[in-house]
Amino acid sequence: MGIAGTDVAKNASDIILTDDNFTSIVKACMWGRNVYDSISKFLQFQLTVNVVAVMLCFIGSCANGASPLKAVPMLWVNLIMDTFASLALATEPPTPDLLNRKPYGRTKPLYREPCLKTSSDTQSIK
């Protein structure tokens, strides 16, 4: 904590809260969990979109002899999808429900097994 914390604790920390209010700690935890969830959702979305695009190009190349999307249109699709995904996930505000779950460990991967199942289900639907 910024006011009552010792200099050793301040130097060892990644984030220093500027006040000694407990609600600041709660808000910092909510925002931290929200950022983690947003990054995880963004990775899931990007992997799904990019795998589908690669599959489309591969299957189209095998069936037609030429890729249905050349390099520049593929870059445009990727740019547009990245923009909308980042805007949608970055503007999601944290909810108090985030505090009801247990915190994730440092070694927990961002892209979890349920995400892999959801991505593969979504890709098979497309």
Side-chain angles (χ1 to χ4, degrees):
M1 308 262 297
I3 297 172
T6 63
D7 287 334
V8 174
K10 289 179 186 177
N11 290 334
S13 65
D14 292 329
I15 298 173
I16 299 173
L17 300 175
T18 57
D19 60 354
D20 287 341
N21 194 353
F22 185 72
T23 57
S24 297
I25 296 172
V26 173
K27 283 186 180 181
C29 289
M30 273 184 14
W31 276 103
R33 291 180 182 192
N34 188 43
V35 166
Y36 182 90
D37 288 346
S38 294
I39 291 171
S40 180
K41 290 176 190 175
F42 182 77
L43 287 175
Q44 179 183 359
F45 177 80
Q46 284 302 309
L47 185 65
T48 303
V49 168
N50 289 332
V51 167
V52 168
V54 168
M55 286 174 38
L56 173 76
C57 288
F58 179 74
I59 293 171
S61 296
C62 290
N64 192 18
S67 178
L69 289 175
K70 302 293 183 212
V72 174
M74 180 71 88
L75 288 172
W76 274 106
V77 167
N78 202 3
L79 178 71
I80 291 169
M81 296 306 289
D82 285 350
T83 304
F84 289 137
S86 61
L87 283 175
L89 295 174
T91 58
E92 186 176 343
T95 61
D97 293 337
L98 292 171
L99 298 174
N100 293 334
R101 72 161 195 245
K102 291 183 180 180
Y104 297 136
R106 288 182 180 223
T107 59
K108 180 120 175 136
L110 272 173
Y111 203 74
R112 298 179 299 276
E113 194 171 316
C115 292
L116 288 171
K117 177 158 177 35
T118 305
S119 290
S120 62
D121 291 347
T122 305
Q123 291 168 12
S124 64
I125 291 171
K126 291 182 180 184

